[in-house]
Amino acid sequence: MISIEIKPYLLNKKHVFRIAGGARTNTPILLVKLKYESYSGYGEASMPPLYGETIETAQAFIRTLDRSKLTSPLEIVTIVKYLDQHAPGNTAVKAAIDIALHDLLGKIMNVPLHQYFNLPKKELKTSKTIGIDSAEIIEKRVEEAASYHYLKIKLGGNNDSEIIKAVRNVSDKPLFIDANQGWTNKEEALDKIAWLKEENVIFIEQPMPKKSFADMEWLVARSTLPLIGDEGIQRLEDVKTASNFYHGINIKLMKSTGLHEAFSMANLAKSLNLKIMLGCMSETSCAIAAAAHLGAMADWVDLDGNLGVTNDPYQGHQVINGCIHLNDTNGIGLIDPNWNKIETYV
């Protein structure tokens, strides 16, 4: 049988994080440890308020599980199916258990997780995210991110042109743009896309509200830049119709219920000729380490959720000059996690 331990945690950000939908300085996290025989596996649920999960709901989900269903990591397909049927939603806490199960599997099989998925070890050029802020602060953040190959710029407020001007005052790096559903007029969105194409932008993530289906169909047929679904693409079912609204999808473990479904989403996206972006929330090195093992499947990588925090309890894959270097540790790749020394913050 598999046993579960949990620790509520508050992950603090180095800077105020602003997007079109609001601002915050921390993220509620539920850290999870699974034990099976002599092995320990680690996972986490990152729960930004936007998605409706809390430490309380995550704890309740785990508390009501039928522990007899948690037989062995080797039965992972059966277990994740049970988790999904246990209660609707709760995708982040499901991801936490899924990640820890995969960590156990890698350790039992004595392989880093990318080998379990039969994927090559690849150096991953992650973008560095710059939130919405004043021009002065944005210039400072961009200069701090000088070692990264790509910058991810948050737009969708009322100062998009000011933000891009500030970025271009100090950097000519290629940009990923994330509007976080902030553009509400399709014609204006199309005009912004044409403007941003001239600013060395690679793609636009979630330009319009996720339920603006007709507007997104109109926009995707006319856009001169790839449009990537994030809030509009949560799980495997969403991928089946994604090409009606987007040119690609952003896969995040906290949305997909973990690695098992994320891997299926990536395979389905490839079969449909959709581009793949691998993204994250504000996360510790645990969830980032797990997601990085799927990096070889991605066209673009945005796995910097552990780089802008002050109290990451773990150490995972190294980031050198903007590149994530997968280590050879079995499982997800955490280096000597010391569970007992992690202080509960909530």
Side-chain angles (χ1 to χ4, degrees):
M1 294 288 292
I2 301 169
S3 65
I4 305 179
E5 296 178 45
I6 59 174
K7 285 193 177 186
Y9 198 74
L10 196 63
L11 193 62
N12 296 319
K13 301 190 71 64
K14 291 179 182 176
H15 310 295
V16 177
F17 182 67
R18 292 184 178 87
I19 61 173
R24 56 191 170 86
T25 57
N26 52 51
T27 306
I29 303 280
L30 191 70
L31 303 176
V32 172
K33 177 183 178 181
L34 301 186
K35 294 192 72 174
Y36 177 76
E37 297 180 348
S38 62
Y39 301 97
S40 295
Y42 299 88
E44 76 172 280
S46 172
M47 296 169 287
L50 174 68
Y51 289 93
E53 288 185 75
T54 66
I55 286 173
E56 290 71 29
T57 63
Q59 289 175 315
F61 179 88
I62 290 176
R63 190 168 54 245
T64 56
L65 290 174
D66 180 352
R67 301 300 175 94
S68 70
K69 302 286 189 182
L70 309 182
T71 51
S72 160
L74 300 175
E75 301 297 324
I76 189 168
V77 175
T78 301
I79 293 174
V80 297
K81 184 177 180 181
Y82 163 67
L83 293 174
D84 211 25
Q85 293 173 342
H86 176 61
N90 293 280
T91 58
V93 68
K94 291 173 183 177
I97 299 172
D98 168 284
I99 291 167
L101 285 169
H102 280 90
D103 197 22
L104 285 173
L105 271 178
K107 289 168 179 173
I108 291 168
M109 297 171 67
N110 203 34
V111 295
L113 209 55
H114 64 88
Q115 290 185 27
Y116 167 79
F117 287 112
N118 198 27
L119 294 172
K121 183 178 179 179
K122 184 180 176 185
E123 184 180 280
L124 308 174
K125 294 179 179 178
T126 182
S127 58
K128 186 70 173 69
T129 301
I130 312 293
I132 294 174
D133 222 311
S134 68
E136 182 182 2
I137 291 176
I138 285 171
E139 287 186 18
K140 183 179 178 183
R141 300 285 180 267
V142 170
E143 288 174 335
E144 289 171 355
S147 63
Y148 292 84
H149 298 264
Y150 302 97
L151 300 175
K152 180 175 174 179
I153 307 299
K154 297 284 189 175
L155 298 183
N158 56 10
N159 62 338
D160 287 352
S161 58
E162 179 189 353
I163 289 173
I164 294 301
K165 182 179 179 182
V167 172
R168 286 296 176 236
N169 281 344
V170 290
S171 174
D172 60 359
K173 290 181 186 293
L175 307 179
F176 303 168
I177 296 296
D178 186 0
N180 281 117
Q181 309 182 79
W183 299 342
T184 56
N185 179 287
K186 63 185 181 182
E187 287 86 3
E188 288 180 11
L190 189 62
D191 287 344
K192 289 196 175 192
I193 290 166
W195 157 59
L196 289 166
K197 186 178 183 183
E198 301 303 312
E199 295 288 347
N200 195 18
V201 166
I202 306 298
F203 62 76
I204 311 290
E205 187 180 348
Q206 201 62 52
M208 303 193 72
K210 63 181 181 180
K211 293 186 178 179
S212 295
F213 299 118
D215 286 349
M216 281 304 307
E217 274 193 278
W218 183 90
L219 192 61
V220 77
R222 293 163 175 79
S223 177
T224 52
L225 288 173
L227 306 182
I228 309 300
D230 179 13
E231 288 89 346
I233 303 294
Q234 303 287 319
R235 305 208 43 193
L236 184 62
E237 275 298 308
D238 300 319
V239 182
K240 296 176 182 178
T241 56
S243 59
N244 293 334
F245 316 108
Y246 308 103
H247 302 103
I249 63 171
N250 185 355
I251 299 174
K252 295 178 178 176
L253 300 190
M254 298 301 135
K255 297 188 301 180
S256 72
T257 70
L259 288 156
H260 180 75
E261 186 158 321
F263 184 63
S264 297
M265 290 174 71
N267 279 315
L268 179 57
K270 284 187 176 296
S271 74
L272 297 173
N273 293 317
L274 287 163
K275 294 290 187 181
I276 295 170
M277 177 185 180
L278 195 58
C280 63
M281 310 297 188
S282 295
E283 298 167 1
T284 79
S285 289
C286 176
I288 297 296
H293 286 282
L294 300 181
M297 305 184 81
D299 297 281
W300 305 293
V301 173
D302 177 41
L303 294 178
D304 67 337
N306 61 329
L307 302 178
V309 302
T310 62
N311 59 337
D312 189 345
Y314 297 119
Q315 178 185 348
H317 310 302
Q318 276 193 305
V319 179
I320 303 170
N321 293 326
C323 293
I324 301 170
H325 295 262
L326 292 180
N327 61 45
D328 294 320
T329 303
N330 293 335
I332 62 175
L334 292 185
I335 308 298
D336 298 325
N338 196 330
W339 178 264
N340 293 330
K341 286 191 175 180
I342 298 174
E343 295 182 15
T344 298
Y345 276 75
V346 176

